[in-house]
């Protein structure tokens, strides 16, 4: 029988042990910084893959942001509710567009199922179970005087919670598979690409996951293959293949990424000079540009433009090569053509503005300001755009807006202290109540909130 005195002793023993034993919480994988890659052509193609699936899931495509992660691993994930991240490693290893589309359909299932918010509830439940294990172990230790009891109790609670959490994540992965296949059917696309993608994963499974199926965050790939295979066998859309123009765009995207990410020697091994296909020439042109062989790169781009003179991405790439080789005057008309053919592409618009600013002419500065201000409405946290704006504003004599642009740049880069200081300087030059004055105050308030969070109570 536990009386009040025993209870006090148990609690005292538990509190003493809690002071020396590390807090027990959900196990989190060690993370590394994410490097994002921006490319107008690749981003456009991925959106063309994804937007029909988003609509099939009842989601507004405009509310979902898709990011390219410069990482060679085969992976894709969702974070922050409405943000999807796709690794370049996945794109480079996909044999066709349908394989990428299948993965995007799966990740769309996570977004539509609100799995990120639901996993937070499960994490809280896991923590409660771990605490129960700690309390039971602490009570046993206090009653018996055996400190090892609390370790056993907490380990038991932690293990139960861990297995329950992993079981829940496996359930979510299976649900996302099923949802993704329903979106593919709704858009009259085959789920065969998802099946093929799981086949690629199967060979790597035992290298990256624990062999105990109960300690996995995903279901066994063999089980997922069986599930998708059943759907492929029954779906009326399984025999549908990618449209030729879509597959051609996919091959171009892969070639361009290889040109940017692989060394020239490896690119030329896969795309030798004897290969005169569009993807091969594109890959070699980009790889030569990355190797600072600008003249050879421009020649290859000219050969591509001779066949497709209105292609905005070929024009953009040639313009970038000319700009980086210091030929700004030659880059301007090329970038202007690219922008005229794809004015909605923010990366092309930013490239043109960069050339205009680099030419250091007042009329071009004003043109760049108009272009860049339009981009900020679409990408308000693009730090490069704010930097370019600060240069153009400063050179045109609008110092308050230059300081405000630097404040916005600092906020985009996660530097609230600099943002606060630059916004304060901007505030001094604005009329009270003007749009700039109001925005500077907003930045000051947001920066102060972040600084307060960093400093803590």
């Amino acid at each position: 029988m536990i009386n009040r005195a025993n209870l006090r002793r148990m609690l005292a023993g538990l509190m003493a042990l809690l002071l020396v034993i590390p807090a027990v919480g959900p196990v989190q994988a060690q993370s590394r910084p994410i490097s994002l890659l921006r490319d107008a052509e690749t981003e456009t193609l991925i959106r063309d893959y994804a937007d029909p699936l988003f609509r099939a899931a009842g989601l507004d495509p405009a509310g979902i942001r898709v990011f390219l992660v410069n990482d060679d691993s085969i992976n894709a994930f969702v974070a922050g509710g409405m943000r999807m991240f796709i690794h370049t490693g996945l794109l480079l290893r996909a044999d066709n567009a349908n394989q990428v589309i299948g993965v995007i359909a799966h990740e769309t299932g996570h977004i539509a199922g609100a799995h990120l918010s639901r996993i937070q509830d499960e994490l809280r439940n896991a923590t409660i179970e771990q605490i129960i294990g700690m309390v039971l172990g602490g009570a046993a230790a206090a009653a018996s005087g055996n400190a090892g009891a609390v370790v056993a109790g907490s380990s038991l609670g932690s293990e139960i919670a861990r297995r329950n959490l992993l079981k829940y994540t496996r359930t979510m992965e299976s649900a996302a598979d099923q949802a993704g296949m329903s979106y593919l059917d709704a858009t009259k696309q085959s789920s065969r690409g998802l099946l093929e993608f799981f086949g690629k994963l199967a060979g790597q499974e035992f290298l990256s996951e624990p062999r105990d199926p109960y300690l996995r965050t995903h279901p066994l790939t063999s089980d997922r293959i069986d599930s998708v295979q059943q759907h492929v066998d029954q779906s009326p859309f399984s025999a549908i293949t990618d449209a030729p123009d879509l597959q051609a765009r996919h091959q171009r995207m892969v070639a361009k990424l290889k040109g940017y990410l692989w060394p020239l020697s490896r690119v030329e091994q896969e795309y030798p000079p004897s290969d005169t296909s569009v993807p091969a020439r594109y890959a070699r042109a980009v790889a030569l540009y990355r190797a600072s062989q600008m003249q050879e790169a421009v020649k290859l781009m000219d050969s591509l433009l001779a066949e497709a003179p209105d292609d905005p991405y070929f024009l953009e790439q040639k313009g970038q090569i000319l700009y980086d080789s210091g030929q700004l005057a030659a880059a301007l008309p090329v970038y202007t053509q690219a922008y005229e053919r794809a004015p909605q592409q923010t990366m092309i618009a930013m490239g043109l503005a960069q050339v205009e600013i680099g030419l250091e002419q007042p009329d071009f500065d004003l043109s760049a300001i108009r272009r860049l201000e339009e981009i900020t409405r679409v990408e308000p946290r693009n730090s490069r755009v704010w930097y370019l704006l600060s240069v153009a504003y400063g050179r045109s004599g609008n110092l308050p807006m230059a300081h405000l642009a630097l404040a916005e740049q600092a906020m985009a880069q996660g530097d609230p202290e600099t943002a606060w200081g630059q916004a304060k300087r901007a505030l001094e030059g604005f009329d009270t109540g003007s749009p700039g004055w109001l925005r500077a105050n907003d930045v000051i308030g947001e920066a102060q909130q972040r600084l307060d969070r960093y400093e803590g109570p």
Side-chain angles (χ1 to χ4, degrees):
M1 180 177 179
I2 300 177
N3 56 30
R4 291 179 180 273
N6 286 336
L7 182 59
R8 281 195 296 270
R9 286 196 295 272
M10 289 166 57
L11 292 175
L14 175 59
M15 289 302 297
L17 288 166
L18 286 175
L19 291 174
V20 297
I21 295 176
V24 181
V27 177
Q28 296 182 350
Q30 290 185 347
S31 60
R32 54 181 173 176
I34 291 179
S35 172
L36 298 180
L37 182 149
R38 297 297 309 272
D39 176 67
E41 182 173 12
T42 304
E43 291 175 4
T44 299
L45 182 57
I46 296 301
R47 293 302 309 205
D48 288 346
Y49 291 165
D51 285 359
L53 298 168
F54 295 156
R55 285 190 285 268
L59 302 169
D60 179 8
I64 303 174
R65 297 192 64 189
V66 181
F67 299 89
L68 302 178
V69 180
N70 186 8
D71 191 300
D72 193 49
S73 61
I74 305 176
N75 197 17
F77 60 95
V78 295
M82 304 290 278
R83 299 175 183 176
M84 183 180 296
F85 297 79
I86 299 175
H87 285 208
T88 54
L90 186 153
L91 299 177
L92 293 179
R93 290 172 178 81
D95 300 319
N96 51 58
N98 188 242
Q99 291 179 6
V100 179
I101 291 169
V103 174
I104 293 174
H106 167 88
E107 297 302 330
T108 302
H110 281 308
I111 296 175
H115 289 169
L116 287 177
S117 61
R118 290 165 61 189
I119 197 67
Q120 293 299 320
D121 294 336
E122 197 66 21
L123 285 168
R124 284 189 287 270
N125 292 336
T127 303
I128 291 170
E129 288 175 322
Q130 291 165 10
I131 291 173
I132 291 173
M134 177 73 82
V135 170
L136 290 175
S144 65
N146 180 9
V150 72
V151 177
S154 63
S155 298
L156 176 62
S158 177
E159 184 63 17
I160 292 172
R162 183 179 177 220
R163 286 177 176 262
N164 284 346
L165 179 60
L166 293 177
K167 178 181 178 181
Y168 184 74
T169 60
R170 292 194 302 272
T171 300
M172 288 194 305
E173 292 299 327
S174 296
D177 288 345
Q178 296 300 318
M181 288 185 287
S182 73
Y183 306 148
L184 290 166
D185 279 354
T187 54
K188 298 182 180 181
Q189 298 184 90
S190 175
S191 295
R192 194 174 298 279
L194 184 61
L195 179 64
E196 293 167 351
F197 176 75
F198 285 154
K200 291 179 180 291
L201 291 181
Q204 304 183 30
E205 186 168 72
F206 291 104
L207 298 177
S208 59
E209 289 275 11
R211 297 194 179 213
D212 181 353
Y214 294 100
L215 297 180
R216 311 171 72 92
T217 60
H218 289 59
L220 286 166
T221 300
S222 58
D223 295 340
R224 303 176 82 179
I225 288 176
D226 291 342
S227 176
V228 179
Q229 183 68 65
Q230 290 179 13
H231 183 87
V232 169
D233 292 341
Q234 298 171 2
S235 172
F237 308 107
S238 295
I240 293 178
T241 58
D242 297 323
D245 64 324
L246 192 67
Q247 182 59 15
R249 292 175 65 195
H250 176 84
Q251 292 172 347
R252 267 182 55 165
M253 172 190 69
V254 171
K256 187 176 187 180
L257 287 174
K258 289 177 179 177
Y260 268 104
L261 300 175
W262 287 5
L264 176 59
S265 59
R266 185 178 177 187
V267 171
E268 289 184 330
Q269 184 176 8
E270 178 153 345
Y271 301 102
S274 58
D275 186 347
T276 59
S277 66
V278 169
R281 282 180 287 161
Y282 206 13
R284 291 199 304 273
V286 174
L288 287 165
Y289 153 63
R290 297 285 291 172
S292 299
Q293 299 183 36
M294 302 302 194
Q295 289 185 346
E296 293 84 353
V298 169
K299 288 179 182 178
L300 280 173
M301 291 310 307
D302 283 340
S303 74
L304 293 168
L305 283 165
E307 299 170 11
D310 294 328
D311 190 301
Y313 307 114
F314 287 164
L315 289 165
E316 178 198 25
Q317 186 60 59
K318 180 181 177 180
Q320 184 67 45
I321 295 170
L322 292 171
Y323 174 83
D324 285 343
S325 61
Q327 302 178 61
L328 275 64
L332 181 63
V334 179
Y335 256 119
T336 300
Q337 291 179 61
Y339 176 76
E340 289 172 348
R341 286 154 181 75
Q344 76 284 358
Q345 293 291 348
T346 59
M347 295 300 295
I348 294 178
M350 187 170 70
L352 175 55
Q354 184 171 257
V355 173
E356 291 174 325
I357 291 171
L359 289 169
E360 300 186 6
Q361 297 181 25
D363 288 344
F364 286 150
D365 286 338
L366 295 176
S367 175
I369 287 172
R370 290 192 296 271
R371 220 177 302 283
L372 293 168
E373 286 178 339
E374 187 64 32
I375 297 175
T376 63
R377 298 184 182 95
V378 181
E379 299 185 13
R381 282 292 186 255
N382 189 322
S383 62
R384 178 64 179 172
V385 170
W386 288 115
Y387 167 74
L388 292 172
L389 266 173
S390 72
V391 174
Y393 282 137
R395 213 154 53 202
S396 64
N398 193 341
L399 295 182
M401 286 300 295
H403 289 303
L404 182 55
L406 289 172
E408 297 277 14
Q409 179 195 8
M411 288 299 294
Q413 294 174 336
D415 183 1
E417 185 173 1
T418 298
W420 189 93
Q422 290 291 346
K424 277 287 189 181
R425 295 182 68 182
L427 199 61
E428 297 172 358
F430 289 124
D431 293 333
T432 302
S434 66
W437 183 89
L438 292 171
R439 180 54 193 161
N441 274 297
D442 288 342
V443 173
I444 290 169
E446 184 181 353
Q448 189 62 58
Q449 287 181 354
R450 292 196 190 185
L451 289 170
D452 291 343
R453 285 200 298 270
Y454 295 159
E455 293 174 358

